[in-house]
Amino acid sequence: MAETGSYGGEVRRATIDDVAAAANVSVATVSRALRGLPNVADGTRRRVLEAAESLAYRADPHASRLAAGRTMTVGMGVPLLARWYFSQVVAAAEALLAVEGYDVLLFAMGTDADRHRVVSNWADLGRRVDALILVDLVPTAAEASELTRRSAPVVTIGSRCEGISSVVIDNRAAAQAATEHLLALGHSAIGLVGSQPLHTVSFPVPQARRAGYRAALRAAGVAPRAELEVSANFSMPDAVAATGRLLDLPEPPTAVFAMSDEMAFGVLVAARARSVRVPEELAVVGFDDHELARVVELTTVAQPVAQIGVVAAQLALEGLQGSEPRHVELPTHLVVRGSTAPRPAAAVLDSL
Amino acid sequence: MAETGSYGGEVRRATIDDVAAAANVSVATVSRALRGLPNVADGTRRRVLEAAESLAYRADPHASRLAAGRTMTVGMGVPLLARWYFSQVVAAAEALLAVEGYDVLLFAMGTDADRHRVVSNWADLGRRVDALILVDLVPTAAEASELTRRSAPVVTIGSRCEGISSVVIDNRAAAQAATEHLLALGHSAIGLVGSQPLHTVSFPVPQARRAGYRAALRAAGVAPRAELEVSANFSMPDAVAATGRLLDLPEPPTAVFAMSDEMAFGVLVAARARSVRVPEELAVVGFDDHELARVVELTTVAQPVAQIGVVAAQLALEGLQGSEPRHVELPTHLVVRGSTAPRPAAAVLDSL
DNA sequence: GTGAAAGCGCTAACAA
DNA sequence: TTGTTAGCGCTTTCAC
């Protein structure tokens, strides 16, 4: 592993002064040369580069930040890292940012306690990161202005704010399409497994999906029934319980739209526990196109998770280079599988 | 949101000098008082605290790091953030570290390119983080010594190195137990869906699980058949293909042990695609106890993912406080579900 | 094109 | 107990 450098040798690492001495120039010139600034003679630059190379010199990130105000790291705030969707988005963004030389600082702010901790340090955050990506978290106006004021680019995923780059999907339309699919199959008693705003954290996705669901019903002349909308906080176990309540209704739904695949999996578990057959007695559609959706033949709304992360990272990078904020909307599409198929394929554990 | 402080007001943030002036003491005293060091009179400390509070002062992290060498951030290196296991571990560790005031810097090093990028900056890393948690990644001796030399605590998850804290499970024993379960069910042609070391990255888990698998066979007097061991790189889609090869064998296995639940899900998909009935014609056991394992009734080896992350974070914190390295081993246990049950429960999509 | 020097905001001896 | 004073390593005017 030659590239790891020499071990056990000099404990003290090279500083810019060492390089300057070795290259026989001033530290100012070293700084310029290494950062590719103009006004450095080619020969000088070459000498500096060589000196730096042979000394295995790398600028101390904290010293540069202190002097220049740049941190070379971007922060990512997520409600809950352990959810599939978020881990995919973060992974994709990280990959691009790493290539561009940026570190990724992670902030989970799913609970009020998290949120409080992060928000109370909100101003501080601006000192630790050059840009901030908020995944399905909408900043308050005050927070947004605080961040933009420091001219740190912010990009939000899942919501659109003024003066801030964003990447979104049309959650409303997507949810509407999912619901229409169910309607087209002849269902009218369609349950919704979603989430109430639990935290003070603004988390706009559930509302949008709910709106799409209701719009579809309305357009089809179906009166929404409040008792068909249950909350499961985007958790699989919660969805099992919530679906149980749905199935216990005097007039239970014949179909369910879950706002995430993970919750849809919970619906499947609940249905099985009560020997409710899917899709004959209960059709179910999810949202995400989780890697495992095809394993259980789940019909779902596919969204380009990885691309969302990549685009967010790009927008952050653009912002870092001074570009104006941009808004990007990415497409979704319905993937029809066995959980809603009129004539389904084979079952996963078909003989159980 | 009162705790976010005053917006739009002073653009310049308070420095330690401002606090010193306001409290009528020297910056040194401010520094001491704020960090809770001894040798500060109670009254003085109170005054400083109040001044800092009213000025909304927070020490610039980069300035402190530069002066003191502390970064208040811990790095986490993971092969692949997008995998369930890793996202759970990172999430759990982050939660604890955040509470303790540490930021988490994320490094994906699943590919050789990633690895190269990180390793070539390995020494640098020591300047950005106070401690490093390596998730299922074993450092080379040289890397380890470089990190320990800087006296930055390192903790490895999944492997045990000298002079470095670690948290592990007994992968070998766990895999052996899984295989024994299959043997006890009467199987002898047992496939293994695992992973070859693909990267130069040392990733010791697959070898350990393979060893356990083989040991079980051997102990039962079953000769391991090389063609029953296939590689799927811990990816669900790859596992589908790999299982296909297994099922195409002249003498296909009647059972499969997959080294991860995600791969086991792939096995299920492949089986279904060929109308191979689970568990009658193919018993399958996975590894992880992924949240969705119960959705598809997958028998699996449960490991305490969240606890692994938490313990790793604790060990890192301990190391930061000067404690000696410790090794922790966490338990696993087999969870028997429908995919190996002699008399299975209802199917997920039982009527499809 | 290059260098000198003044910080960036904080910590840590060393004095007092 | 508190203050003074060097730095930490780098960037960036401003001269030359």
Side-chain angles (χ1 to χ4, degrees):
Chain A
M1 209 151 274
E3 66 277 23
T4 53
S6 56
Y7 291 105
E10 70 288 64
V11 170
R12 184 176 157 287
R13 59 183 338 104
T15 73
I16 198 171
D17 295 280
D18 301 324
V19 180
N24 233 294
V25 293
S26 73
V27 294
T29 301
V30 173
S31 181
R32 290 190 201 103
L34 257 28
R35 284 180 303 147
L37 298 187
N39 291 348
V40 178
D42 277 1
T44 310
R45 189 185 301 273
R46 204 177 346 274
R47 249 185 315 136
V48 171
L49 257 29
E50 280 165 9
E53 165 79 2
S54 75
L55 290 169
Y57 168 79
R58 348 264 315 199
D60 181 306
H62 300 277
S64 336
R65 139 67 211 203
L66 188 55
R70 250 175 278 101
T71 67
M72 291 307 285
T73 107
V74 352
M76 290 195 74
V78 298
L80 246 146
L81 184 61
R83 293 269 183 278
W84 180 82
Y85 168 77
F86 296 114
S87 67
Q88 303 299 310
V89 170
V90 171
E94 194 274 348
L96 178 55
L97 292 170
V99 168
E100 297 297 322
Y102 282 87
D103 288 335
V104 171
L105 214 41
L106 208 54
F107 300 98
M109 14 196 204
T111 69
D112 281 351
D114 293 334
R115 173 76 169 183
H116 190 276
R117 193 173 50 239
V118 174
V119 164
S120 69
N121 286 17
W122 199 258
D124 259 24
L125 229 173
R127 299 202 272 196
R128 326 173 98 92
V129 303
D130 291 338
L132 187 63
I133 297 176
L134 295 173
V135 189
D136 280 326
L137 245 23
V138 342
T140 64
E143 291 164 1
S145 82
E146 166 72 6
L147 285 162
T148 52
R149 191 157 60 79
R150 194 199 159 267
S151 78
V154 179
V155 4
T156 56
I157 293 176
S159 64
R160 179 169 285 177
C161 300
E162 272 323 295
I164 289 184
S165 286
S166 67
V167 25
V168 299
I169 57 170
D170 190 337
N171 277 295
R172 192 178 189 286
Q176 185 162 353
T179 310
E180 281 164 355
H181 170 62
L182 258 12
L183 288 162
L185 254 25
H187 297 280
S188 60
I190 302 175
L192 177 70
V193 177
S195 155
Q196 308 292 350
L198 292 184
H199 320 305
T200 56
V201 179
S202 317
F203 179 38
V205 169
Q207 287 92 310
R209 294 189 186 164
R210 180 188 315 274
Y213 157 84
R214 288 182 183 165
L217 293 186
R218 223 173 290 117
V222 175
R225 289 164 50 197
E227 75 273 23
L228 289 186
E229 300 183 9
V230 294
S231 182
N233 195 26
F234 285 83
S235 131
M236 201 271 271
D238 284 4
V240 175
T243 304
R245 294 197 299 277
L246 237 30
L247 297 178
D248 281 342
L249 251 24
E251 296 181 53
T254 61
V256 166
F257 168 46
M259 285 189 193
S260 78
D261 281 353
E262 278 162 312
M263 290 193 289
F265 298 145
V267 174
L268 296 181
V269 170
R272 179 180 52 202
R274 298 174 180 241
S275 301
V276 170
R277 294 149 62 94
V278 174
E280 289 82 353
E281 302 174 84
L282 189 70
V284 7
V285 14
F287 201 115
D288 278 346
D289 202 19
H290 188 293
E291 194 178 42
L292 304 181
R294 65 177 274 221
V295 177
V296 293
E297 284 294 318
L298 176 68
T299 293
T300 191
V301 177
Q303 63 171 325
V305 276
Q307 200 190 346
I308 289 173
V310 168
V311 171
Q314 281 169 338
L315 292 176
L317 258 13
E318 285 180 13
L320 254 10
Q321 277 153 31
S323 303
E324 285 305 296
R326 282 203 298 138
H327 299 287
V328 175
E329 181 171 321
L330 264 17
T332 63
H333 65 278
L334 189 70
V335 179
V336 178
R337 296 204 182 90
S339 69
T340 62
R343 293 265 74 207
V348 180
L349 309 176
D350 48 4
S351 53
L352 292 191
Chain B
M1 211 149 272
E3 66 278 21
T4 52
S6 56
Y7 291 106
E10 69 288 64
V11 169
R12 182 175 158 287
R13 58 182 338 105
T15 73
I16 198 171
D17 295 279
D18 300 324
V19 179
N24 232 293
V25 293
S26 72
V27 293
T29 301
V30 173
S31 181
R32 289 189 202 105
L34 257 28
R35 285 181 300 147
L37 298 187
N39 290 346
V40 178
D42 277 1
T44 311
R45 189 185 301 272
R46 201 176 351 270
R47 252 186 311 137
V48 171
L49 257 31
E50 280 164 9
E53 165 80 1
S54 74
L55 290 170
Y57 168 78
R58 347 263 315 198
D60 181 306
H62 300 278
S64 342
R65 140 65 212 205
L66 188 54
R70 250 176 278 101
T71 68
M72 291 306 284
T73 107
V74 352
M76 291 195 73
V78 298
L80 246 146
L81 184 61
R83 291 269 183 278
W84 179 82
Y85 168 78
F86 296 114
S87 67
Q88 303 299 310
V89 170
V90 171
E94 194 274 350
L96 177 55
L97 292 170
V99 168
E100 297 297 322
Y102 282 87
D103 287 335
V104 171
L105 214 41
L106 209 54
F107 300 97
M109 13 195 204
T111 69
D112 280 351
D114 294 334
R115 174 74 170 186
H116 190 275
R117 194 174 49 240
V118 174
V119 164
S120 69
N121 286 17
W122 199 258
D124 257 27
L125 228 173
R127 298 203 274 195
R128 326 171 97 90
V129 303
D130 291 338
L132 187 63
I133 297 175
L134 258 15
V135 189
D136 280 324
L137 244 23
V138 344
T140 63
E143 291 164 1
S145 83
E146 165 72 5
L147 284 161
T148 52
R149 191 156 59 79
R150 193 198 158 266
S151 78
V154 179
V155 5
T156 56
I157 293 176
S159 65
R160 178 168 285 176
C161 301
E162 272 323 296
I164 289 185
S165 286
S166 67
V167 25
V168 299
I169 58 170
D170 191 336
N171 277 295
R172 191 177 190 287
Q176 185 161 354
T179 310
E180 281 164 356
H181 170 61
L182 258 11
L183 288 162
L185 254 26
H187 297 281
S188 59
I190 302 177
L192 177 70
V193 177
S195 156
Q196 308 293 349
L198 293 184
H199 321 304
T200 56
V201 179
S202 319
F203 179 38
V205 170
Q207 287 91 309
R209 295 190 186 163
R210 180 188 315 275
Y213 157 85
R214 289 181 182 164
L217 292 186
R218 223 173 291 118
V222 175
R225 289 163 51 196
E227 75 272 24
L228 289 186
E229 299 184 8
V230 294
S231 182
N233 195 27
F234 284 83
S235 133
M236 201 270 272
D238 285 4
V240 175
T243 304
R245 294 198 298 277
L246 238 29
L247 297 177
D248 282 342
L249 251 24
E251 297 181 52
T254 61
V256 166
F257 168 45
M259 286 189 191
S260 78
D261 282 354
E262 279 163 312
M263 290 193 287
F265 298 145
V267 174
L268 296 181
V269 169
R272 180 179 51 201
R274 300 175 178 241
S275 300
V276 170
R277 295 151 62 94
V278 174
E280 289 81 352
E281 302 174 85
L282 189 71
V284 7
V285 14
F287 201 116
D288 277 346
D289 201 20
H290 188 293
E291 195 179 40
L292 304 180
R294 64 177 274 222
V295 178
V296 293
E297 284 292 320
L298 176 68
T299 293
T300 190
V301 178
Q303 63 170 326
V305 276
Q307 200 190 346
I308 289 173
V310 168
V311 171
Q314 281 169 338
L315 292 177
L317 259 10
E318 285 180 11
L320 254 9
Q321 276 154 31
S323 302
E324 285 305 295
R326 282 204 298 139
H327 299 286
V328 176
E329 181 172 322
L330 264 17
T332 63
H333 65 278
L334 189 70
V335 179
V336 178
R337 297 204 182 91
S339 69
T340 61
R343 294 263 73 208
V348 181
L349 308 176
D350 48 3
S351 53
L352 292 189

